[in-house]
Amino acid sequence: MSAQDATLGQTGTLALPRKRIRWGEVLVQGILFLAAAVSVLTTVGIVVSLLVPAGEFFREVSPRDFLTGTTWAPLFEPAHFGVLPLVVGTFLISLLSALVAFPLGVGVAIYLSEYARPRAASVLKPALEILAAIPTVVLGYFALTFVTPLLRDLGVQVEIFNALSASLVLGVMLIPTVASLSEDAMAAVPRDLRQGGYALGADKLQVSTRIVVPAAISGIIAAFVLAFARAVGETMIVLIAAGQLPQITFDPRETIETMTAFIGATGNGDVPTGSIEYKTIFAVGLTLFAITYAINLLSIRLVRKFREVYE
Amino acid sequence: MTSSRVLKNRAFEAAMLFAMVVAFGTLAVLLVDTLVTGWPQLDAQLFSDSPSTQPEEAGARPAILATLYLGLIVLALSVPIGVLTAIYLEEYADRKRWWNRLIEVNIQNLAAVPSIVYGILGLAFIVRGVGIGRVVLAGGLILTLVVLPTVVVASREAIRAVPDSIRQGAFALGATKWQVVWRQVLPAAIPGMATGSILALSRAVGETAPLIMVGAIVYVAFDPTLLGPYTALPVQIYNWTKQPDPTFQTLAAAGAIVLLAIVLSMNAVAIFLRNRYRKQW
Amino acid sequence: MRLSRPITVAALAAIVVLATAACGGGDGGGSGGTITADGSSTVGPFTTKAAEDFKAQGGVDVTVGISGTGGGFERFCRDETDISNASRPIKDEEAAICADGGIEYLELTVATDALTNVVNPENTWVDCLTVDQLKSIWEPGSKVDSWRDVDESYPDVPLRLYGAGTDSGTFDYFTDAIVGEEGASRTDYNASEDDNVTVQGVAGERGGLGYFGFSYFEENQGRLKALEIDGGSGCVAPSVASAQDGTYAPLSRPLFVYVKRSSFDDDENVRDFVAYMLDNEQTIAEEARFVPLSDAKLAEEQAKLEDATS
């Protein structure tokens, strides 16, 4: 570190010089701003790449037919462009996986935060990260080749491609997301609150469920919403295990198709540009983007609403 | 405590333990199942040979190489851009300015966008628009964009963890802003940034959906180059899982073992770094 | 605060090695003399086998994609590929696009196919279906949901349909031959460009019914059962013989490879590869479980090649 421009003037007092423009600093700032701009450009790129072809699509297919139609058969004669089966498929899977991930994730978090000894926790937490790191293609393959036969052995009449296997595996995949964010939130709850509870004679169950969880609720909700958004956007697990039969059904044993699976299957390799098929990718992509964006906004709002601030 | 309370507490603890068992039990089952299924095909051939219509002769060498190259590209691009963005947001940006708030919100949103939408972006702009085609570089660029928000967030956390007193001390000694960042903040934040980057990288290496969209082809029997056609390991596994021939299913599992090995070792490095260099201020 | 030196050095060294390998080009492979093929997932395995054998003989690399017959033509007519695999002839609209783009091509038949209808091995109640029965199952708006709807003597097992996606030449051919109009099909079935998905679906579902090229049945004989088809003159099973002599009607069809004229004329490698494909057509077809061309037909195709080369 070099000494700088603060000089002692003749009078012996500190006289700071007039501000000189340091071009090095300006250059640095410029570069940094450009780096940050990459992210903005990315969003602009995503929006433009979705909106333009989607716009063309909606000139040929009315948005109303698209959003309310119940048959998705864009490439057949006669073509049907109702996106509802895809949306229902997506939400069916997301909700089922949430049913798995939310309770189990919070359970894991409570265990790690309130019950586990520090040494055990230091081993278990990285193990949880390992679960989170498994590539989704491996998980999808696991769902198709292990979970589906297992379900059938257990007597559940699932079709070879079905929503249930995919949801179960997706749910387990999301446990680390829910658990780590919830656990962070719980760790942020001051020890005093717990101690106060114990001092008043509460047992662990009461402290966990009536003190810690409510105090950490904003983080837990954020975790839920993030996990749900990831479930909505997940592609490989559903592409491999859930099927390509767009239909409106709430029976998880049946074959369905999600928005992401449609995009992935249709975009495989290449599709004729300019054809209506190409444009359906963007219309569905836009719908998907809008949904995840809305979920994200919701999460920000919910977190703000429930946040409890400590000191 | 009354016996019913004891019972309730035991039950509660059991329930929480059950959650742990489900999570880790599934992980264990998955790893064991993959290992057992793929073991027969896990041999040198997997690493030395190219894919083939005959499963006995098939290998994943081009795919493994492509995955490593993609990882390299992502590393080379996402770390500088991500770290610089984080520095900008944490050290330089005036939060009162609307464009800085926009950038922040933007990054948060990008983190939530499904990876397949990045694939659409790539298809439209990088493969078609700029027209470099379905090449390794295109795949690398897309994956960079996918993990960039994660790198930014992790780097920001690392920078924030550096106490302000360090900065103030440096300023007091007359350093310029950049000198403070470059010589004090960054070195202190490197372990956190490294951890975050490696975790992001391991995610990029496991991504399949965006690569499918930008055309990682089915049958590529030669080592990939930067501007040449390619297929990455996750995509190769995906293609193999679709083949009903049981030998290909075994191959897919073997490929999955390799992919898991790559991803998990990256994670292990990241965890090691985090533990070793955890600073106490 | 620095990371330990040896680790940094090792990591940097590894990165440099990989980077040079990536930019330098692999051993012999790379964009240099690569031939690009794309198109039908039915014909894909044939071209892939040809590519493998060709390379083993010292030929250049060939990449093979499976975007579907339609998708393949799209890329072909935009000058993105050298070869387009197709399980149906090029349509007029597609030919027009090619003409607009100045793409001339050579059409070669490389194998014959018997479009096979398959059911699950546990399906013991049906061995033969008439074209009319198939049509009633697959036509648009069909309400046939159970095997009993097909014939009253069949058990009431739910019908699970798997088939080709609409970008597939198999789809075009099947709908044309069975339903009577290209593209006319019910929409509530598992549709995939990749015939392997159909194999998996039918093999895993007791009431499953699907259709794809003969080679996919041949490859998976243990897990599927092929149906005989009655096209008006009795039940005929799909086989090499019945495909070659055309008795397996109406579902025997030619499989095509379209070669870009400019690649053919300008690139010796392309000429070598195409010649290799035809010269070794019998072997390749057998290895890839396709129905080889009859000798007469093969001679015809080779004559076409002769004309084109001169």
Side-chain angles (χ1 to χ4, degrees), chain C residues 141-154:
Chain C
S142 164
K143 290 285 167 234
V144 174
D145 286 325
S146 155
W147 280 99
R148 177 153 297 166
D149 298 333
V150 179
D151 186 307
E152 299 206 330
S153 63
Y154 297 159

Side-chain angles (χ1 to χ4, degrees), chain A residues 71-73 75-78 80 144 152 158-161 243-246 254-255 265-266 268-273 277, chain C residues 67 70-71 74-75 78 80 140 160 162 166-167 171 182-192 197 200-201 204-205:
Chain A
T71 308
W72 180 253
L75 313 168
F76 289 86
E77 292 296 326
H80 295 274
L144 182 67
R152 284 176 159 188
V158 288
E159 308 210 19
I160 182 102
F161 301 114
Q244 255 139 259
L245 180 54
E254 298 215 37
T255 315
T266 314
N268 192 357
D270 201 2
V271 279
T273 335
E277 179 183 33
Chain C
S67 314
E74 228 290 330
R75 295 191 66 206
R78 271 183 316 146
E80 284 182 20
R160 298 274 181 244
Y162 298 86
T166 56
D167 214 15
F171 175 81
E182 201 174 272
S185 164
R186 69 193 288 175
T187 63
D188 55 342
Y189 67 96
N190 250 278
S192 170
V197 176
Q200 274 187 333
E205 220 36 82

